[in-house]
Amino acid sequence: MRDKAIILTGGASGIGREAAIRLGVEGAMVGIFDLDEAGARATVEQIGSDRSAAYHVDISDREQVTTALAAFESRFGPTRGLANVAGWDSARLFMDSDPAVWDKVIRINLYGSLVMHHVVVRGMAERGFGRVVNVSSDAGRVGSSGESVYAACKGGIIAFTKTLARELARNGVILNVLCPGPTETPLFTDFTKDMPGGDRLAEGLAKAIPLRRLGQPDDYAGMIAFLLSDDAAFMTGQTISISGGLTMS
Ligand code: NAD
């Protein structure tokens, strides 16, 4: 993927940051779209400001995405790859949940990703080449207590990706999904803080995982790079779980 322009959302932290750094190591030109400006700039510093740039973007704001895409492409050329990694959740049992929080969860985890595809993947389809990886979650495949609306969004992303993979195959755009399991990032730490008994949750999960540990942010970077590379050329509409064997679906 040397010198290929790749946009990655959520690159200011956690899984997205490690993936962005790996893409930089592989030689890509990386555009980080994130709400967290300082975090995104810190990732750019690690990759190198000659090969990457940070854009302050709320992925659910179409105008911001459009403006950032134009700035990225005028500097690095047409976008060849897109990794949708940004996400957010707040733990609550569904019957205790607040519809105002549903709106935020849906805006970030589902609607924002739709906007990214509608704006960024459009150009890929017109040019006849594109690689997309959408980061969902095993919550979207097997469910997860305290994450009902988030799981609905993540399941939605899987179905959406499969549909777009069918619609855009003839345009040379391939799209696949990566589902991480529980991973030690700020998102997971905040989640366990919100859950009753959350302090014991991480410990319990680590015991339940056949490989006996929680995920680390850099456990996914290799798969994200692979799915954006030419080695994945004959693969589209697939969903891959990386969760230490927690889910074997
Ligand atoms: P994280 O909190 O470390 O990083 C999430 C990033 O998304 C942050 O940089 C944040 O600023 C950005 N972001 C949030 N809302 C945004 C918006 N509206 N516009 C632009 N950027 C926005 O979280 P993480 O754990 O690294 O999560 C990365 C992805 O992995 C998410 O899609 C998450 O749902 C998924 N995931 C995480 C876990 C886990 O246990 N950590 C498990 C399964 C799936």
Side-chain angles (χ1 to χ4, degrees):
M1 59 181 69
R2 181 145 293 279
D3 296 337
K4 292 196 178 140
I6 295 179
I7 292 173
L8 183 143
T9 71
S13 173
I15 294 169
R17 168 174 283 170
E18 292 302 325
I21 292 169
R22 174 63 178 266
L23 294 174
V25 169
E26 298 288 346
M29 306 292 201
V30 191
I32 296 167
F33 287 18
D34 203 298
L35 270 179
D36 172 1
E37 258 184 296
R41 277 201 303 270
T43 306
V44 165
E45 267 173 41
Q46 292 201 49
I47 301 172
S49 54
D50 52 331
R51 320 195 54 79
S52 64
Y55 301 88
H56 180 241
V57 175
D58 176 346
I59 55 166
S60 67
D61 184 323
R62 190 184 187 92
E63 214 174 297
Q64 288 184 22
V65 172
T66 305
T67 306
L69 174 68
F72 174 71
E73 292 196 337
S74 74
R75 181 166 167 203
F76 295 110
T79 307
R80 310 270 295 179
L82 168 65
N84 286 300
V85 190
W88 181 78
D89 196 16
S90 161
R92 194 59 51 105
L93 295 174
F94 183 66
M95 290 308 168
D96 303 329
S97 67
D98 172 356
V101 180
W102 304 352
D103 286 348
K104 183 173 173 184
V105 171
I106 294 168
R107 255 196 112 65
I108 296 173
N109 296 292
L110 185 60
Y111 183 78
S113 194
L114 302 190
V115 171
M116 288 301 297
H117 286 80
H118 212 229
V119 175
V120 178
V121 177
R122 183 178 303 281
M124 293 178 175
E126 284 165 4
R127 292 186 293 270
F129 183 94
R131 302 260 182 276
V132 179
V133 51
N134 289 323
V135 175
S136 171
S137 168
D138 270 348
R141 302 188 94 179
V142 300
S144 175
S145 296
E147 296 191 286
S148 50
V149 180
Y150 171 87
C153 295
K154 294 297 194 180
I157 286 297
I158 295 171
F160 171 74
T161 306
K162 289 180 183 175
T163 302
L164 219 56
R166 292 181 189 281
E167 290 184 7
L168 296 181
R170 72 189 68 133
N171 300 79
V173 179
I174 64 167
L175 305 96
N176 293 289
V177 178
L178 166 65
C179 292
T183 307
E184 285 183 302
T185 67
L187 185 150
F188 181 75
T189 315
D190 291 348
F191 177 83
T192 52
K193 264 193 238 142
D194 290 346
M195 274 295 267
D199 45 339
R200 292 186 312 275
L201 183 68
E203 216 178 293
L205 277 169
K207 280 192 189 138
I209 292 171
L211 290 177
R212 307 295 275 184
R213 67 169 175 86
L214 292 171
Q216 295 302 315
D218 63 357
D219 281 324
Y220 311 97
M223 182 56 72
I224 291 173
F226 167 74
L227 292 173
L228 293 171
S229 78
D230 288 342
D231 286 339
F234 196 49
M235 181 178 172
T236 195
Q238 303 304 306
T239 304
I240 299 167
S241 285
I242 299 185
S243 52
L246 181 63
T247 54
M248 297 192 184
S249 45

